Amino acid sequence: MASPESASFEASSDAQAKTPAFADFRRIVIKVGSALLVDRAQGRVRLAWLTSLVEDIAALHARGCEVMVVSSGAIALGRTVLGLPSGPLKLEDSQAAAAVGQIALSKTWADILGHYNITAGQVLLTLGDTEERRRYLNARSTLGRLMELRSVPIINENDTVATTEIRYGDNDRLAARVATMASADLLVLLSDIDGLYTAPPAQDPNATLIPVVPRIGAEIEAIAGDAGSELSRGGMRTKIEAGKIATSAGTHMVIASGHVKNPLKRIMEGGRCTWFLTSANPVRARKSWIAGALEPRGTLHLDDGAVAALRRGASLLPAGVKRIDGQFDRGDAVVLRGPDGAEVGRGLVAYDSTHAARIMGHSTSEIEALLGVKGRSEMVHRDDLALGVE
């Protein structure tokens, strides 16, 4: 039976929080689990279901939304092809299954999206790609460019090289990291269950759905259940962890059942689900993180023209940098100062201090000649910049 604390939480949530409108979101990450995507008995993708999901994605895409998909299923497909037994796999068997299954998984997504004239892009990530700032910037830039080109990135953990010590462990948390890295405003977790209940429904027939969670606190963490299927590494507990990651970065999250055709359309039409709300937005949350949570490793001294351009919303180009202090790597936080020495803002720098010193004061057209490679045009991209006046 639901506890009095859970029941009172549910009532207060409904009274105080409003369900967001799906149509208001522009950049969306959708997580699809193995248990939804793969028919374990047949060892193949559930094509009819996946086609219905892609139909929903295509509708969002046609509306101008930017969509990313975090898709499980590589190991589940590969283990069948290789004839591996059911149950937990040894690390090397999981890596082999992922290597085989990822080919089939990517081709399936590409073929079905192709029916709607949408190009799929494959992105395989490891834990370090979202934890180490230099690799984080590379991955963020790749995802951003794919979406600018109107492609749908299909993202998965790189299970062929990940080990127990250096892995996300489940695609719920991977999806949350991707959502925050890409500044998505909505994360959709399609699940075996249609939302968060006051108690695990399989154990408590009186459990009731919580439609809106304004904030993830101790009472929410306490009622999260465990993993429910052989194909899923995660359960409700990992979804709550994903929600904490996403909402703290300004991303709304929704958990909904994937055991229906057109699952996104079902959410849009008011179907059963649980919304996890954030009071921030991705851009503001990211800039707050840059401004206050990172220790600066160096200083870039700018001319008046660069300061004025930054305040108009432009990126920092090498030509506007007149002096560099400190030793820093690509992706480190740096302080930006104007000609009078006053701090203008802070940002994540796109070059290490050695390369930055070579190209400062030069136009972007000279970067390749100066460095021997075609580097990025911006010293600090405007998306990686927090001005002091913001």
Side-chain angles (χ1 to χ4, degrees):
M1 181 177 294
S3 68
E5 293 82 358
S6 298
S8 63
F9 167 80
E10 182 182 12
S12 63
S13 298
D14 291 338
Q16 299 173 12
K18 181 181 178 182
T19 301
F22 206 105
D24 293 339
F25 298 107
R26 184 187 66 86
R27 179 170 285 188
I28 302 168
V29 174
I30 301 160
K31 182 262 179 178
V32 181
S34 294
L36 298 175
L37 191 67
V38 178
D39 183 331
R40 183 70 176 96
Q42 300 294 322
R44 65 184 66 172
V45 173
R46 301 178 193 270
L47 285 175
W49 178 84
L50 182 57
T51 299
S52 78
L53 172 61
V54 172
E55 182 181 346
D56 291 347
I57 291 172
L60 291 171
H61 195 266
R63 228 172 57 198
C65 294
E66 297 173 330
V67 180
M68 292 161 277
V69 177
V70 174
S71 176
S72 304
I75 293 177
L77 288 173
R79 71 189 298 162
T80 300
V81 174
L82 294 174
L84 296 171
S86 59
L89 295 174
K90 295 185 293 184
L91 175 61
E92 57 268 31
D93 287 343
S94 292
Q95 291 172 326
V100 171
Q102 192 62 50
I103 295 173
L105 183 65
S106 299
K107 184 178 186 304
T108 300
W109 276 106
D111 288 347
I112 299 177
L113 284 165
H115 286 305
Y116 294 91
N117 295 317
I118 300 173
T119 301
Q122 177 179 277
V123 179
L124 297 178
L125 298 175
T126 60
L127 184 63
D129 294 320
T130 56
E131 299 297 323
E132 297 176 21
R133 283 200 292 277
R134 182 171 59 180
R135 291 159 65 181
Y136 168 99
L137 286 178
N138 284 335
R140 176 181 165 87
S141 178
T142 298
L143 291 172
R145 186 58 180 148
L146 282 169
M147 287 182 289
E148 285 176 6
L149 295 171
R150 301 300 292 151
S151 173
V152 171
I154 307 299
I155 303 154
N156 197 2
E157 183 161 11
N158 193 349
D159 288 303
T160 58
V161 298
T163 65
T164 303
E165 295 78 16
I166 54 167
R167 65 177 304 117
Y168 298 96
D170 64 86
N171 273 1
D172 293 325
R173 279 176 287 212
L174 169 59
R177 293 293 185 193
V178 168
T180 61
M181 180 170 65
S183 297
D185 44 17
L186 176 63
L187 169 61
V188 180
L189 299 183
L190 296 179
S191 174
D192 291 337
I193 192 170
D194 53 9
L196 176 67
Y197 283 73
T198 53
Q203 302 171 19
D204 185 351
N206 296 315
T208 57
L209 180 75
I210 302 172
V212 181
V213 176
R215 184 183 64 85
I216 298 175
E219 72 277 17
I220 291 299
E221 295 182 84
I223 61 177
D226 297 320
S229 107
E230 171 189 313
L231 292 179
S232 278
R233 293 197 192 101
M236 190 55 68
R237 188 173 301 281
T238 67
K239 289 173 175 54
I240 297 303
E241 290 297 320
K244 289 165 62 177
I245 294 167
T247 56
S248 65
T251 301
H252 290 289
M253 187 179 86
V254 60
I255 299 174
S257 174
H259 287 299
V260 294
K261 287 192 174 181
N262 300 103
L264 302 181
K265 183 179 179 182
R266 179 70 64 90
I267 300 171
M268 295 178 210
E269 293 176 345
R272 289 170 65 84
C273 61
T274 298
W275 287 90
F276 295 80
L277 308 184
T278 178
S279 58
N281 68 64
V283 174
R284 187 174 302 147
R286 176 174 169 77
K287 288 182 181 290
S288 296
W289 171 68
I290 292 170
L294 299 177
E295 184 69 25
R297 300 296 183 185
T299 302
L300 307 183
H301 296 269
L302 317 182
D303 62 24
D304 284 324
V307 173
L310 294 183
R311 288 178 174 157
R312 291 195 302 270
S315 298
L316 175 63
L317 303 180
V321 180
K322 296 307 177 188
R323 193 174 91 242
I324 292 175
D325 294 332
Q327 299 291 319
F328 48 83
D329 292 323
R330 181 174 185 268
D332 281 344
V334 294
V335 175
L336 309 180
R337 297 189 182 277
D340 60 356
E343 181 173 328
V344 177
R346 301 186 179 197
L348 305 183
V349 67
Y351 290 91
D352 63 32
S353 52
T354 301
H355 288 160
R358 290 182 191 171
I359 64 175
M360 68 177 185
H362 293 275
S363 68
T364 55
S365 61
E366 299 177 89
I367 292 176
E368 186 171 6
L370 290 166
L371 299 183
V373 295
K374 189 174 182 179
R376 301 185 186 278
S377 300
E378 306 88 0
M379 188 84 79
V380 178
H381 193 278
R382 62 184 180 184
D383 290 344
D384 298 322
L385 174 69
L387 294 183
V389 296
E390 294 178 326

